[in-house]
Amino acid sequence: MFTTVRTMRAPEESARAFVYRVLSLYIREMFLRPGEKLVETDVAQALQVSRTPVHDTFTRLEREKMLCSVPRGAVVPPLDPAAITQLIWMYRTATLAAMGELYTSRPATLEPLERCVAREYEALRGGALLQMARLEQEFLTELYRLADRLPVLGALRSTGPDLYRMLRLLEDRRMWGYIADRHAGLVQALALRDHDAAAAALNAEYDLFEPLLAECRYIRPDYFRQD
């Protein structure tokens, strides 16, 4: 079940934190696919912990919409198109507001955002498309950090993982190149104090997400909730 990366427990890490880290990672990164069933005893055996931290983690992940309870276990839920559409709107609105804070506060440097863009282009050159969804999230994290709005981003991410899970499915180099170009344009516009151009770059990225949702539902219908 857990044969890939990041399953080693750190010496100071509690069993509950370890189980949560592994399960949330595997669900978000789509190592555990929608519809896959988890059984507490199996997870406990695989991760070499007792059932109690596994049970507690299942309960937490159900609250966070990353698991659904079923008899004798839990399943990874399908992606919810309505939730993704709502998340696109929420992220667009909140990120535009965060950029407004950057325009007002005028941070001393945009180097953290520039480094994020450089990592995106490096991943594209190396063909590491599976990294791109995570790098897109890192760009957002640095933008909100510079705007001193990380709690807002934390609240957005706690709303649900489905927008990230959708992006994780996509391995189109042109699409990710387009998003990296929009990030580069956004950073350049912020450096020039051109708020309209920065907003246009951001809106262009989120405008892309709706057709991507339709594409994902067409390519992987088994991964999505059926209305």
Side-chain angles (χ1 to χ4, degrees):
M1 180 186 299
F2 303 107
T3 57
T4 54
V5 297
R6 301 187 186 180
T7 57
M8 295 297 295
R9 180 176 172 184
E12 72 284 358
E13 192 173 27
S14 71
R16 185 176 288 104
F18 172 57
V19 175
Y20 177 80
R21 177 171 62 83
V22 172
L23 289 184
S24 61
L25 171 73
Y26 274 59
I27 293 167
R28 285 175 56 82
E29 297 297 334
M30 303 295 277
F31 300 140
L32 292 171
R33 299 180 177 184
E36 191 161 350
K37 184 176 180 179
L38 301 178
V39 178
E40 288 183 9
T41 52
D42 293 343
V43 174
Q45 182 177 7
L47 299 182
Q48 299 182 355
V49 297
S50 70
R51 282 188 61 182
T52 299
V54 176
H55 177 80
D56 293 345
T57 298
F58 275 29
T59 301
R60 177 178 175 181
L61 291 173
E62 288 163 17
R63 290 198 304 268
E64 296 176 357
K65 303 177 184 178
M66 284 195 272
L67 283 178
C68 292
S69 179
V70 296
R72 295 187 295 278
V75 297
V76 180
L79 282 75
D80 184 342
I84 293 171
T85 299
Q86 179 69 9
L87 282 165
I88 292 170
W89 177 84
M90 292 169 66
Y91 271 93
R92 184 199 300 264
T93 303
T95 308
L96 284 169
M99 285 201 316
E101 290 292 330
L102 288 178
Y103 186 80
T104 301
S105 62
R106 304 183 70 168
T109 179
L110 297 173
E111 186 177 350
L113 293 177
E114 293 166 353
R115 287 197 300 266
C116 286
V117 172
R119 286 195 293 270
E120 289 176 345
Y121 283 130
E122 181 180 358
L124 285 168
R125 286 192 298 270
L129 299 181
L130 292 178
Q131 297 181 19
M132 294 304 297
R134 175 179 56 80
L135 292 173
E136 192 268 347
Q137 291 286 294
E138 289 180 4
F139 181 87
L140 272 185
T141 298
E142 291 304 327
L143 191 152
Y144 277 77
R145 191 191 312 278
L146 286 174
D148 196 23
R149 289 295 183 268
L150 276 179
V152 176
L153 183 60
L156 283 172
R157 288 176 173 165
S158 70
T159 303
D162 280 4
L163 177 57
Y164 179 83
R165 289 204 295 162
M166 180 194 81
L167 293 175
R168 183 62 177 74
L169 285 173
L170 297 165
E171 298 181 39
D172 185 318
R173 190 184 187 285
R174 289 180 301 174
M175 179 210 80
W176 283 116
Y178 178 86
I179 290 176
D181 288 344
R182 302 290 78 72
H183 288 173
L186 188 155
V187 175
Q188 182 179 30
L190 287 174
L192 295 173
R193 305 283 297 156
D194 189 340
H195 183 267
D196 289 342
L202 179 73
N203 280 318
E205 177 182 353
Y206 284 103
D207 286 345
L208 180 64
F209 286 176
E210 285 285 356
L212 287 178
L213 173 57
E215 178 182 342
C216 282
R217 294 182 71 182
Y218 177 76
I219 295 172
R220 305 303 298 264
D222 52 319
Y223 277 26
F224 285 84
R225 178 171 296 169
Q226 301 302 314
D227 297 330

